């Protein structure tokens, strides 16, 4: 799977389940309400969006966090997520 396919699957998931609202999607997966998506929470999002499989999903999680985690806290904040969906990551 390529990066564009990942983006396409996430957009389809958000469109189908959150009326196109990335903010609603983010809040739904931010289970502990800390305004960050942890690796575990991201794994659930990617699973629900059908990104990767049980063998490859952890690599996708690591890759996404490595790419988007600007402050290097091991999570994706709403601001980092928003920048990515707006094409600035």
């Amino acid at each position: 799977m390529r990066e564009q396919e990942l983006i396409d699957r996430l957009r389809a998931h958000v469109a189908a389940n959150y009326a196109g609202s990335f903010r609603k999607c983010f809040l739904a997966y931010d289970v502990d309400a800390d305004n960050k998506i942890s690796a575990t929470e991201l794994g659930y999002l990617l699973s629900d969006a059908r990104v990767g499989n049980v063998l490859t999903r952890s690599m996708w999680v690591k890759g996404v966090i490595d790419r988007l985690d600007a402050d290097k806290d091991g999570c994706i904040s709403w601001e980092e997520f928003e920048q990515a969906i707006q094409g600035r990551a």
Side-chain angles (χ1 to χ4, degrees):
M1 179 181 296
R2 297 182 188 177
E3 185 176 332
Q4 187 58 50
E5 189 175 353
L6 165 83
I7 292 166
D8 292 344
R9 288 186 185 204
L10 286 174
R11 286 188 176 146
H13 177 68
V14 170
N17 297 286
Y18 300 97
S21 172
F22 282 92
R23 181 68 178 163
K24 286 180 185 176
C25 177
F26 184 91
L27 292 172
Y29 287 94
D30 180 15
V31 177
D32 58 6
D34 64 352
N35 204 38
K36 297 178 181 183
I37 299 288
S38 69
T40 300
E41 293 164 336
L42 180 60
Y44 292 129
L45 170 57
L46 296 182
S47 176
D48 290 348
R50 298 181 180 201
V51 173
N53 60 47
V54 71
L55 299 174
T56 63
R57 195 159 298 114
S58 64
M59 291 183 291
W60 277 103
V61 167
K62 182 181 179 334
V64 169
I65 289 177
D66 286 350
R67 172 100 186 252
L68 302 184
D69 182 19
D71 63 6
K72 302 302 179 201
D73 66 352
C75 298
I76 300 170
S77 68
W78 167 246
E79 292 77 17
E80 293 164 339
F81 190 82
E82 185 177 37
Q83 286 180 352
I85 60 175
Q86 293 177 354
R88 294 182 284 165

